[in-house]
Amino acid sequence: MLNSFDILETIKMIEDEHLDIRTITMGISLLDCISGDINVTADNIYDKITRKAEHLVKTGEDIEAELGIPIIHKRISVTPIAMIGAATDATSYVPLAQALDRAAATCGVNFVGGFSALVQKGFAKGDEILIRSIPEALASTDLVCSSVNVASTKAGINLDAVRMMGEVIRQTAELTADQQCIGAGKLVVFANAVEDNPFMAGAFHGVGEADCVLNVGVSGPGVVHSAIRRAGDCSINEVADIIKKTAFKITRMGQLVGSIASSRLGVPFGIVDLSLAPTPAVGDSVARILEEVGLECCGTHGTTAILAMLNDAVKKGGVMASASVGGLSGAFIPVSEDEGMIHAVNEGSLYLDKLEAMTAVCSVGLDMIAIPGDTPAETISAIIADEAAIGVVNSKTTAVRLIPAIGKKVGENLEFGGLLGSAPVMEVHPFSAAKFINRGGRIPAPMHSLKN
């Protein structure tokens, strides 16, 4: 039972510390939408999504009004479209992306994820077609997000897919150059992608999931930051304990909202992703948490150590507060979406190489980072390969969401607005890795992948 102190504390978290439910995401299997005709498949996809998710947004809004808890986004994830399109003879899956977009618009959700392919060990029928369709698909839709898994600890790194994704990211940015290259902001490349991720752009509905399921993503960097500030001068293990207790409270709220939404929609409740997902708003920043612990500016020496402690404490605190924790769970470090990260880049404290080191201990990876518009595709691929290697060797999820800022140079900005924020263009190394990327093939899985 909640006492008056708990209620008042929660109100303060919501009103003053940016506490929110970042997303409720309905995962929908499209396996029963498969047809040999791509147009029939597209119609089947539209019909199933609009039937299953018809009441998703209204249910979320009702819960917001009743509990006073902001639910920022309502989203949908679907079975990787490469699997769905493979039954057709189509040479482009853009019509399927457009069907997803229409369905998402009809349901009123913010995003739909799953224009995806899983190619960590090679290309099945449909995978390469989907990857080649990504630039046009993201340029011709508003709400569709795309992801490609190019590596796993069990399979190693598919260097052919890595090379392709460098080219695709550039093409996608070029096709949406008149929209601040936003297409690339809706595309992420994974190692060890998870099947129950409620966060975009990497959400897809895994083949091991139920036909329809509801996953919740919580947030609350501002709440953690305030709790540490109130604690004042204390030891680092006391700081970790404060984070654990705060994460527990945040996750309990996610469990409550997810359970209510699941019951009203008649859909099984999947997981709570207990990540700290920042926004561009002042006071809602992961970087500012690190600075509150004791850094003059995020990115300086000590950043990786504090981030590791933060990520671990969030998991330890949240896992006891939910019936099922999943997704990515931990701390996100997207540059454009985090006011403190943007400040650190502009101050010259945070560089791409440091961000790469931080990804070894955070939830995901190099996220929402703008790079110079003339960056070669091979350099983008090499950055993906580096990040995939961190994920493969450390048996964790890593990802890359890079945005070539076409026509812009280091020091300029891309302006997205909303949750996607503003991305300062960051410097990349000028030396080429083209010979390495063009070797192709597959980097073998590490020895510790043999765990059977």
Side-chain angles (χ1 to χ4, degrees):
M1 296 291 293
L2 292 175
N3 58 36
S4 59
F5 176 79
D6 292 328
I7 295 170
L8 291 172
E9 183 182 44
T10 302
I11 292 171
K12 177 177 175 58
M13 288 177 178
I14 292 169
E15 292 185 346
D16 300 335
E17 298 169 356
H18 305 280
L19 177 61
D20 59 55
I21 299 295
R22 184 55 45 86
T23 177
I24 52 174
T25 300
M26 178 177 283
I28 303 172
S29 172
L30 301 182
L31 293 176
D32 56 352
C33 298
I34 292 173
S35 165
D37 184 317
I38 193 168
N39 294 314
V40 173
T41 301
D43 290 341
N44 291 344
I45 288 172
Y46 177 87
D47 291 342
K48 183 166 187 182
I49 291 175
T50 52
R51 183 175 71 254
K52 290 287 187 180
E54 179 182 6
H55 302 296
L56 176 62
V57 171
K58 177 66 164 55
T59 300
E61 291 173 345
D62 288 347
I63 295 170
E64 282 185 272
E66 291 169 23
L67 300 183
I69 299 171
I71 302 174
I72 305 303
H73 272 189
K74 295 83 179 174
R75 302 167 177 173
I76 295 168
S77 65
V78 300
T79 309
I81 291 297
M83 298 179 183
I84 308 304
T88 75
D89 292 326
T91 57
S92 169
Y93 296 158
V94 171
L96 301 184
Q98 292 171 341
L100 292 173
D101 201 50
R102 291 196 305 274
T106 298
C107 294
V109 297
N110 300 95
F111 289 115
V112 55
F115 197 75
S116 306
L118 310 177
V119 296
Q120 58 268 22
K121 204 169 183 178
F123 299 95
K125 185 179 186 295
D127 290 334
E128 193 165 350
I129 296 172
L130 182 129
I131 291 172
R132 294 301 184 193
S133 302
I134 288 172
E136 184 182 351
L138 296 185
S140 63
T141 59
D142 295 319
L143 307 176
V144 174
C145 292
S146 179
S147 61
V148 178
N149 193 70
V150 300
S152 73
T153 298
K154 279 288 189 182
I157 303 172
N158 183 346
L159 201 58
D160 294 319
V162 169
R163 183 183 68 244
M164 289 178 64
M165 290 312 300
E167 298 166 357
V168 165
I169 289 170
R170 269 208 64 88
Q171 292 165 10
T172 305
E174 288 166 356
L175 285 181
T176 55
D178 61 341
Q179 303 171 63
Q180 299 289 294
C181 308
I182 188 59
K186 298 186 291 178
L187 170 59
V188 59
V189 185
F190 272 110
N192 291 319
V194 297
E195 295 191 335
D196 56 3
N197 170 20
F199 287 100
M200 300 296 166
F204 64 88
H205 188 68
V207 294
E209 297 284 307
D211 184 65
C212 187
V213 68
L214 196 75
N215 298 318
V216 173
V218 300
S219 188
V223 179
V224 174
H225 178 262
S226 295
I228 297 171
R229 186 177 64 244
R230 287 194 298 269
D233 188 14
C234 59
S235 67
I236 196 67
N237 54 300
E238 290 175 301
V239 171
D241 197 48
I242 290 165
I243 295 169
K244 285 190 290 184
K245 292 175 180 177
T246 306
F248 180 89
K249 296 172 185 177
I250 294 169
T251 308
R252 287 303 287 173
M253 188 179 73
Q255 175 74 27
L256 173 65
V257 169
S259 298
I260 295 173
S262 169
S263 175
R264 293 185 182 180
L265 290 166
V267 172
F269 180 40
I271 58 94
V272 175
D273 186 322
L274 48 89
S275 296
L276 296 182
T279 72
V282 175
D284 199 27
S285 162
V286 170
R288 298 303 189 189
I289 295 174
L290 307 182
E291 291 170 358
E292 187 64 40
V293 175
L295 304 178
E296 183 176 357
C297 190
C298 178
T300 192
H301 306 297
T303 297
T304 306
I306 298 175
L307 181 60
M309 180 272 295
L310 172 65
N311 212 54
D312 179 66
V314 166
K315 292 176 188 287
K316 288 175 177 173
V319 75
M320 298 300 293
S322 172
S324 182
V325 169
L328 300 168
S329 289
F332 288 4
I333 54 170
V335 173
S336 79
E337 300 173 21
D338 188 307
E339 170 271 328
M341 295 288 179
I342 295 169
H343 172 78
V345 172
N346 290 332
E347 288 293 304
S349 175
L350 186 60
Y351 295 91
L352 195 58
D353 288 347
K354 183 60 177 179
L355 279 165
E356 183 182 299
M358 293 164 67
T359 64
V361 299
C362 78
S363 279
V364 195
L366 297 171
D367 198 13
M368 287 302 289
I369 296 172
I371 58 175
D374 59 358
T375 303
E378 294 88 353
T379 297
I380 298 172
S381 295
I383 295 171
I384 294 170
D386 282 344
E387 194 59 31
I390 290 174
V392 166
V393 171
N394 290 285
S395 300
K396 72 180 293 291
T397 302
T398 53
V400 170
R401 187 160 44 150
L402 296 178
I403 307 166
I406 306 302
K408 295 182 181 291
K409 299 179 180 179
V410 174
E412 298 184 84
N413 289 277
L414 290 174
E415 300 288 344
F416 305 117
L419 283 180
L420 297 181
S422 170
V425 179
M426 300 181 69
E427 186 177 6
V428 301
H429 288 289
F431 303 101
S432 176
K435 183 177 179 180
F436 158 55
I437 294 301
N438 289 325
R439 285 184 181 274
R442 181 160 56 92
I443 296 176
M447 180 60 71
H448 64 256
S449 69
L450 300 175
K451 292 182 178 180
N452 291 339

Tab-separated table of all heavy atoms in Angstrom, residues 187-214:
chain	number	residue	atom	x	y	z
A	187	LEU	N	17.205	4.714	-38.143
A	187	LEU	CA	17.878	3.487	-38.570
A	187	LEU	C	19.001	3.150	-37.601
A	187	LEU	O	19.851	3.995	-37.303
A	187	LEU	CB	18.452	3.687	-39.977
A	187	LEU	CG	19.387	2.619	-40.526
A	187	LEU	CD1	18.716	1.257	-40.581
A	187	LEU	CD2	19.889	3.037	-41.906
A	188	VAL	N	19.011	1.924	-37.088
A	188	VAL	CA	20.040	1.523	-36.137
A	188	VAL	C	20.600	0.166	-36.539
A	188	VAL	O	19.877	-0.701	-37.029
A	188	VAL	CB	19.471	1.498	-34.700
A	188	VAL	CG1	18.314	0.539	-34.576
A	188	VAL	CG2	20.544	1.172	-33.683
A	189	VAL	N	21.912	0.005	-36.329
A	189	VAL	CA	22.612	-1.241	-36.646
A	189	VAL	C	23.035	-1.893	-35.335
A	189	VAL	O	23.714	-1.267	-34.521
A	189	VAL	CB	23.840	-0.977	-37.540
A	189	VAL	CG1	24.483	-2.297	-37.953
A	189	VAL	CG2	23.446	-0.169	-38.774
A	190	PHE	N	22.672	-3.160	-35.154
A	190	PHE	CA	22.847	-3.848	-33.877
A	190	PHE	C	23.880	-4.963	-33.920
A	190	PHE	O	24.109	-5.584	-34.953
A	190	PHE	CB	21.527	-4.501	-33.446
A	190	PHE	CG	20.611	-3.627	-32.659
A	190	PHE	CD1	19.432	-3.175	-33.219
A	190	PHE	CD2	20.911	-3.268	-31.355
A	190	PHE	CE1	18.567	-2.374	-32.487
A	190	PHE	CE2	20.050	-2.470	-30.617
A	190	PHE	CZ	18.877	-2.031	-31.186
A	191	ALA	N	24.432	-5.239	-32.741
A	191	ALA	CA	25.012	-6.534	-32.401
A	191	ALA	C	24.233	-7.055	-31.203
A	191	ALA	O	23.911	-6.293	-30.292
A	191	ALA	CB	26.489	-6.396	-32.044
A	192	ASN	N	23.910	-8.339	-31.226
A	192	ASN	CA	23.140	-8.963	-30.135
A	192	ASN	C	21.812	-8.244	-29.875
A	192	ASN	O	21.453	-7.940	-28.731
A	192	ASN	CB	23.963	-9.008	-28.838
A	192	ASN	CG	25.128	-9.972	-28.913
A	192	ASN	OD1	24.998	-11.071	-29.446
A	192	ASN	ND2	26.284	-9.567	-28.381
A	193	ALA	N	21.064	-7.966	-30.931
A	193	ALA	CA	19.752	-7.327	-30.771
A	193	ALA	C	18.831	-8.219	-29.960
A	193	ALA	O	18.864	-9.446	-30.079
A	193	ALA	CB	19.130	-7.049	-32.136
A	194	VAL	N	17.986	-7.601	-29.121
A	194	VAL	CA	17.035	-8.354	-28.300
A	194	VAL	C	15.654	-8.331	-28.954
A	194	VAL	O	15.319	-7.413	-29.700
A	194	VAL	CB	16.968	-7.790	-26.865
A	194	VAL	CG1	18.324	-7.931	-26.185
A	194	VAL	CG2	16.540	-6.327	-26.863
A	195	GLU	N	14.827	-9.342	-28.628
A	195	GLU	CA	13.539	-9.517	-29.297
A	195	GLU	C	12.395	-8.761	-28.634
A	195	GLU	O	11.284	-8.751	-29.165
A	195	GLU	CB	13.180	-11.006	-29.348
A	195	GLU	CG	14.134	-11.838	-30.196
A	195	GLU	CD	13.613	-13.247	-30.438
A	195	GLU	OE1	12.801	-13.733	-29.607
A	195	GLU	OE2	13.987	-13.849	-31.449
A	196	ASP	N	12.628	-8.155	-27.478
A	196	ASP	CA	11.527	-7.526	-26.732
A	196	ASP	C	11.829	-6.073	-26.379
A	196	ASP	O	11.393	-5.566	-25.357
A	196	ASP	CB	11.219	-8.326	-25.465
A	196	ASP	CG	12.444	-8.504	-24.552
A	196	ASP	OD1	13.516	-7.957	-24.880
A	196	ASP	OD2	12.327	-9.184	-23.516
A	197	ASN	N	12.549	-5.390	-27.226
A	197	ASN	CA	12.960	-4.013	-26.994
A	197	ASN	C	11.806	-3.057	-27.329
A	197	ASN	O	11.357	-3.032	-28.469
A	197	ASN	CB	14.181	-3.714	-27.870
A	197	ASN	CG	14.571	-2.253	-27.901
A	197	ASN	OD1	14.202	-1.486	-27.029
A	197	ASN	ND2	15.321	-1.871	-28.919
A	198	PRO	N	11.314	-2.261	-26.373
A	198	PRO	CA	10.220	-1.329	-26.676
A	198	PRO	C	10.687	0.017	-27.237
A	198	PRO	O	9.866	0.852	-27.603
A	198	PRO	CB	9.549	-1.134	-25.318
A	198	PRO	CG	10.662	-1.284	-24.332
A	198	PRO	CD	11.608	-2.305	-24.923
A	199	PHE	N	12.011	0.233	-27.274
A	199	PHE	CA	12.541	1.537	-27.674
A	199	PHE	C	12.883	1.582	-29.167
A	199	PHE	O	13.433	0.633	-29.724
A	199	PHE	CB	13.786	1.882	-26.853
A	199	PHE	CG	13.500	2.255	-25.424
A	199	PHE	CD1	13.660	1.340	-24.402
A	199	PHE	CD2	13.058	3.524	-25.109
A	199	PHE	CE1	13.386	1.676	-23.089
A	199	PHE	CE2	12.780	3.880	-23.806
A	199	PHE	CZ	12.938	2.952	-22.784
A	200	MET	N	12.579	2.703	-29.788
A	200	MET	CA	12.930	2.930	-31.184
A	200	MET	C	14.324	3.549	-31.275
A	200	MET	O	14.768	4.209	-30.337
A	200	MET	CB	11.911	3.860	-31.844
A	200	MET	CG	10.489	3.297	-31.823
A	200	MET	SD	10.343	1.786	-32.783
A	200	MET	CE	8.747	1.171	-32.240
A	201	ALA	N	15.037	3.331	-32.373
A	201	ALA	CA	14.558	2.745	-33.613
A	201	ALA	C	14.753	1.236	-33.678
A	201	ALA	O	14.479	0.615	-34.695
A	201	ALA	CB	15.317	3.393	-34.774
A	202	GLY	N	15.203	0.621	-32.593
A	202	GLY	CA	15.611	-0.771	-32.643
A	202	GLY	C	14.559	-1.789	-32.297
A	202	GLY	O	14.847	-2.979	-32.224
A	203	ALA	N	13.310	-1.369	-32.101
A	203	ALA	CA	12.281	-2.326	-31.696
A	203	ALA	C	11.844	-3.197	-32.867
A	203	ALA	O	11.595	-2.707	-33.967
A	203	ALA	CB	11.080	-1.590	-31.129
A	204	PHE	N	11.774	-4.504	-32.631
A	204	PHE	CA	11.084	-5.418	-33.529
A	204	PHE	C	10.482	-6.523	-32.671
A	204	PHE	O	10.896	-6.733	-31.530
A	204	PHE	CB	12.012	-5.987	-34.611
A	204	PHE	CG	13.140	-6.844	-34.079
A	204	PHE	CD1	12.964	-8.207	-33.866
A	204	PHE	CD2	14.383	-6.281	-33.809
A	204	PHE	CE1	14.011	-8.989	-33.377
A	204	PHE	CE2	15.427	-7.056	-33.319
A	204	PHE	CZ	15.241	-8.415	-33.101
A	205	HIS	N	9.502	-7.218	-33.219
A	205	HIS	CA	8.803	-8.265	-32.478
A	205	HIS	C	9.462	-9.600	-32.804
A	205	HIS	O	9.329	-10.109	-33.917
A	205	HIS	CB	7.320	-8.274	-32.866
A	205	HIS	CG	6.464	-9.185	-32.042
A	205	HIS	ND1	6.206	-8.953	-30.717
A	205	HIS	CD2	5.829	-10.343	-32.349
A	205	HIS	CE1	5.418	-9.912	-30.245
A	205	HIS	NE2	5.191	-10.779	-31.213
A	206	GLY	N	10.183	-10.155	-31.852
A	206	GLY	CA	10.949	-11.362	-32.103
A	206	GLY	C	10.075	-12.566	-32.402
A	206	GLY	O	8.929	-12.666	-31.954
A	207	VAL	N	10.640	-13.516	-33.146
A	207	VAL	CA	9.865	-14.689	-33.555
A	207	VAL	C	9.562	-15.605	-32.373
A	207	VAL	O	8.690	-16.476	-32.456
A	207	VAL	CB	10.591	-15.473	-34.657
A	207	VAL	CG1	10.683	-14.646	-35.927
A	207	VAL	CG2	11.987	-15.900	-34.204
A	208	GLY	N	10.253	-15.435	-31.271
A	208	GLY	CA	9.963	-16.223	-30.081
A	208	GLY	C	8.903	-15.620	-29.188
A	208	GLY	O	8.552	-16.195	-28.150
A	209	GLU	N	8.376	-14.463	-29.573
A	209	GLU	CA	7.359	-13.774	-28.790
A	209	GLU	C	5.957	-14.311	-29.090
A	209	GLU	O	5.742	-14.988	-30.098
A	209	GLU	CB	7.404	-12.270	-29.097
A	209	GLU	CG	8.703	-11.589	-28.716
A	209	GLU	CD	8.837	-11.357	-27.230
A	209	GLU	OE1	7.926	-10.766	-26.629
A	209	GLU	OE2	9.854	-11.783	-26.664
A	210	ALA	N	4.999	-13.998	-28.219
A	210	ALA	CA	3.603	-14.350	-28.456
A	210	ALA	C	3.056	-13.565	-29.646
A	210	ALA	O	3.712	-12.644	-30.160
A	210	ALA	CB	2.777	-14.060	-27.205
A	211	ASP	N	1.840	-13.924	-30.076
A	211	ASP	CA	1.253	-13.263	-31.241
A	211	ASP	C	1.141	-11.756	-31.034
A	211	ASP	O	1.367	-10.967	-31.948
A	211	ASP	CB	-0.127	-13.855	-31.532
A	211	ASP	CG	-0.755	-13.270	-32.787
A	211	ASP	OD1	-0.203	-13.494	-33.889
A	211	ASP	OD2	-1.787	-12.578	-32.671
A	212	CYS	N	0.788	-11.360	-29.826
A	212	CYS	CA	0.680	-9.936	-29.503
A	212	CYS	C	1.052	-9.761	-28.041
A	212	CYS	O	0.628	-10.548	-27.188
A	212	CYS	CB	-0.738	-9.444	-29.762
A	212	CYS	SG	-0.960	-7.655	-29.608
A	213	VAL	N	1.841	-8.766	-27.731
A	213	VAL	CA	2.343	-8.587	-26.364
A	213	VAL	C	2.562	-7.105	-26.114
A	213	VAL	O	2.774	-6.324	-27.053
A	213	VAL	CB	3.647	-9.388	-26.154
A	213	VAL	CG1	4.786	-8.809	-26.974
A	213	VAL	CG2	4.030	-9.484	-24.690
A	214	LEU	N	2.507	-6.699	-24.848
A	214	LEU	CA	2.703	-5.295	-24.494
A	214	LEU	C	3.962	-5.134	-23.647
A	214	LEU	O	4.085	-5.758	-22.590
A	214	LEU	CB	1.495	-4.772	-23.714
A	214	LEU	CG	1.394	-3.251	-23.614
A	214	LEU	CD1	0.933	-2.676	-24.942
A	214	LEU	CD2	0.442	-2.847	-22.508
